[in-house]
Amino acid sequence: VKSNNLLSFQEFDEPFSKNIYFKKKVSEFIKEALSNDEFYLNYMPIYDTKNLEIKAFEVLLRCSSESMKGTGPDVFIPIAEEYNLIRVIDLWVIESTFKNIKNNYDFLMKTPVVFCINISSEELKNPLFKKNLVRLLDEYEIPPEWIELELTETSFVEIDQKSIDVLSEIRTLGVNLSLDDFGTGYISFNQLINYPVNNLKIDKSFVDLLETENESGEMIVRAILSMADSYELHTIAEGVETAEQYAYLLELGCHYVQGYLLSKPLSWPLAKALLIEPNTE
Ligand code: C2E
Ligand code: CA
Ligand code: CA
Ligand code: CA
């Protein structure tokens, strides 16, 4: 395919995103975007259900390059993993988040908020990951409690003891760890005790089930929340789009929520403005 814009690939059916030529092209665009500094970050507010205050931002990667138009992280992150580009990206996201925190240090001292950074499961096999994290925390003088790393449930499926130990060491630093996309990776409830995580993110697919006509949705979410409670994990529901879903989550005792109902991912200036002037609607 000759076109230089990924949109032209997307006219093909869904399986084309798994096509080797498409993936190769995307991997080249990722390298270009890295060297041209075309990646940037968005911040998605995570709200405390007790008082609707912002307790955290999930950091989400974006690319401004024309050639990546229409291609989000749900597509390019798995390709970055396959083409050995993910370690560079994860490091870039961590360092850029830390830079932003350092630039806003005085403001954030007065308005504390946690930054939740998505980390690829690849990092569990990366012997340098913890070392890099410690170095960057030190270099940018970041209070570790301001940072939360999100690891998807599927990363834990084949985890070995060595990786669990590294995660425990990271927790010991004071960095928070959350189990992302919970409910999608077939971890049994009693396995949870083995993982040094302090937060659990309920996947959007379960939040989607929360509607009056669907009693099983309520039952599943209730079960996840009570299980999380017995392991003393805080719960975050993602993908909350309707007032009805929010009302359910509040009633069922979910601690935190994020979703388009409350806010979309924002540029840093807009995210910061929300912290100063909370939504009064
Ligand atoms: P995720 O970690 O599950 O992130 C949540 C995704 O759901 C984000 O999409 C977010 O914009 C979207 N979302 C949140 N609330 C709603 C809602 O109410 N409705 C709908 N329809 N969507 C909602 P995004 O930014 O496209 O990210 C997709 C995935 O890409 C993420 O899923 C994460 O796995 C990965 N990703 C994003 N940024 C990074 C990053 O910096 N590093 C790594 N390693 N992965 C990243
Ligand atoms: Ca996430
Ligand atoms: Ca998630
Ligand atoms: Ca998800």
Side-chain angles (χ1 to χ4, degrees):
V1 182
K2 288 201 188 74
S3 168
N4 224 27
N5 185 314
L6 290 178
L7 277 176
S8 54
F9 285 98
Q10 313 230 323
E11 288 158 23
F12 294 88
D13 292 337
E14 164 72 15
F16 201 77
S17 71
K18 307 229 173 346
N19 179 292
I20 179 87
Y21 298 104
F22 174 83
K23 293 197 289 191
K24 187 113 204 343
K25 202 83 191 154
V26 173
S27 73
E28 284 160 16
F29 289 146
I30 292 172
K31 281 185 228 161
E32 261 176 50
L34 280 167
S35 58
N36 298 345
D37 205 19
E38 288 169 321
F39 282 112
Y40 64 99
L41 301 175
N42 266 350
Y43 299 83
M44 185 171 201
I46 298 176
Y47 294 81
D48 190 329
T49 52
K50 277 198 312 287
N51 47 19
L52 268 184
E53 277 173 16
I54 295 173
K55 89 105 186 179
F57 289 116
E58 180 172 8
V59 178
L60 295 164
L61 187 61
R62 299 290 179 261
C63 185
S64 65
S65 125
E66 261 310 295
S67 37
M68 291 272 263
K69 221 170 167 178
T71 306
D74 51 325
V75 173
F76 69 70
I77 292 288
I79 295 173
E81 287 171 338
E82 198 176 327
Y83 285 78
N84 294 318
L85 298 165
I86 194 65
R87 290 184 184 184
V88 183
I89 292 182
D90 281 346
L91 214 54
W92 186 91
V93 173
I94 294 172
E95 181 155 19
S96 303
T97 306
F98 287 9
K99 271 184 198 159
N100 186 50
I101 293 173
K102 194 171 171 72
N103 289 338
N104 291 276
Y105 192 81
D106 292 340
F107 170 77
L108 291 169
M109 278 299 282
K110 281 177 259 146
T111 323
V113 70
V114 172
F115 290 83
C116 305
I117 304 174
N118 291 289
I119 297 298
S120 165
S121 60
E122 281 298 306
E123 303 304 348
L124 294 175
K125 298 176 224 152
N126 180 357
L128 291 177
F129 179 73
K130 189 194 139 197
K131 214 177 177 173
N132 285 331
L133 179 70
V134 170
R135 173 176 59 79
L136 291 171
L137 283 167
D138 199 53
E139 183 177 336
Y140 291 94
E141 299 172 87
I142 306 295
E145 317 75 55
W146 292 9
I147 304 303
E148 183 161 319
L149 301 180
E150 298 192 359
L151 275 154
T152 60
E153 188 189 357
T154 41
S155 341
F156 287 84
V157 171
E158 284 180 351
I159 196 170
D160 57 11
Q161 191 55 44
K162 207 169 143 219
S163 304
I164 293 180
D165 292 344
V166 172
L167 290 179
S168 300
E169 289 162 27
I170 291 175
R171 275 288 296 132
T172 307
L173 295 172
V175 171
N176 302 288
L177 290 179
S178 64
L179 194 55
D180 201 356
D181 294 348
F182 186 77
T184 62
Y186 309 105
I187 286 186
S188 66
F189 283 4
N190 54 20
Q191 273 175 290
L192 265 180
I193 193 92
N194 300 318
Y195 306 136
V197 296
N198 49 335
N199 296 302
L200 189 152
K201 293 191 83 168
I202 302 171
D203 191 63
K204 180 176 187 304
S205 54
F206 297 101
V207 174
D208 287 343
L209 298 175
L210 292 174
E211 30 179 299
T212 26
E213 312 86 67
N214 190 336
E215 276 174 38
S216 64
E218 186 186 325
M219 273 173 57
I220 294 168
V221 175
R222 195 189 287 280
I224 295 175
L225 290 173
S226 83
M227 183 269 320
D229 205 46
S230 65
Y231 288 107
E232 294 177 351
L233 301 171
H234 282 142
T235 45
I236 304 156
E238 68 175 21
V240 181
E241 292 182 345
T242 69
E244 193 180 9
Q245 290 166 347
Y246 179 79
Y248 268 114
L249 290 161
L250 191 66
E251 188 196 314
L252 296 175
C254 184
H255 302 106
Y256 305 104
V257 290
Q258 70 182 107
Y260 293 173
L261 174 71
L262 295 151
S263 172
K264 293 212 165 177
L266 305 167
S267 67
W268 174 251
L270 289 177
K272 188 177 179 182
L274 266 193
L275 280 181
I276 297 166
E277 194 80 53
N279 219 337
T280 44
E281 294 178 278

